[in-house]
Amino acid sequence: MVWRNLPPEMQHTLAGFAWACWWALIGRSLYHANLVRQGRRWFWSLTLAWELMIAIGMGVVAGGAAEYLQLTGMTTAGFIAAISYLGPRSIEAVQIWAERKVGISDPKD
């Protein structure tokens, strides 16, 4: 196995990436299933491929945030799944709210 020849730091990073992507995929699958249940989306559709790409991106972002917050174990897994379920639009809304709260204005204003 090629990965066994990698330095321990790289092995740790790759394992963390794999777990983050797994939990992000779970979170985005829950979101997709909810939209299917509501009749707003077909289960097998092109948007399912987009959800996979969003899950990978959200896994990386949420995994980094979990590491920054020093979360461990199932707390990290739940955090990644929850952030992935919320998706990028919700994260952007929270960012805009936080910027306004501390007085950072939007350059478009």
Side-chain angles (χ1 to χ4, degrees), residues 22 31 38 59 67:
W22 170 254
Y31 176 77
Q38 293 173 356
E67 189 171 328

Side-chain angles (χ1 to χ4, degrees), residues 81-101:
I83 295 298
S84 298
Y85 178 85
L86 293 174
R89 289 188 195 136
S90 298
I91 304 306
E92 183 181 16
V94 169
Q95 178 187 357
I96 290 169
W97 172 83
E99 287 174 354
R100 287 185 180 151
K101 188 82 169 162

Side-chain angles (χ1 to χ4, degrees), residues 4 12 16 37 56 58 75-76 89:
R4 291 187 187 266
H12 179 73
R37 184 183 57 80
I56 292 170
M58 293 304 296
T75 308
T76 300
R89 289 188 195 136

Side-chain angles (χ1 to χ4, degrees), residues 16-95:
F17 174 73
W19 278 112
C21 286
W22 170 254
W23 289 111
L25 185 62
I26 297 293
R28 289 313 291 176
S29 296
L30 290 171
Y31 176 77
H32 180 72
N34 189 33
L35 291 179
V36 169
R37 184 183 57 80
Q38 293 173 356
R40 296 173 49 197
R41 186 181 284 180
W42 295 98
F43 184 79
W44 296 109
S45 64
L46 189 56
T47 56
L48 192 57
W50 289 114
E51 290 296 337
L52 176 62
M53 290 185 274
I54 291 171
I56 292 170
M58 293 304 296
V60 171
V61 170
E67 189 171 328
Y68 177 77
L69 295 171
Q70 298 178 347
L71 303 177
T72 59
M74 287 303 292
T75 308
T76 300
F79 180 79
I80 293 170
I83 295 298
S84 298
Y85 178 85
L86 293 174
R89 289 188 195 136
S90 298
I91 304 306
E92 183 181 16
V94 169
Q95 178 187 357

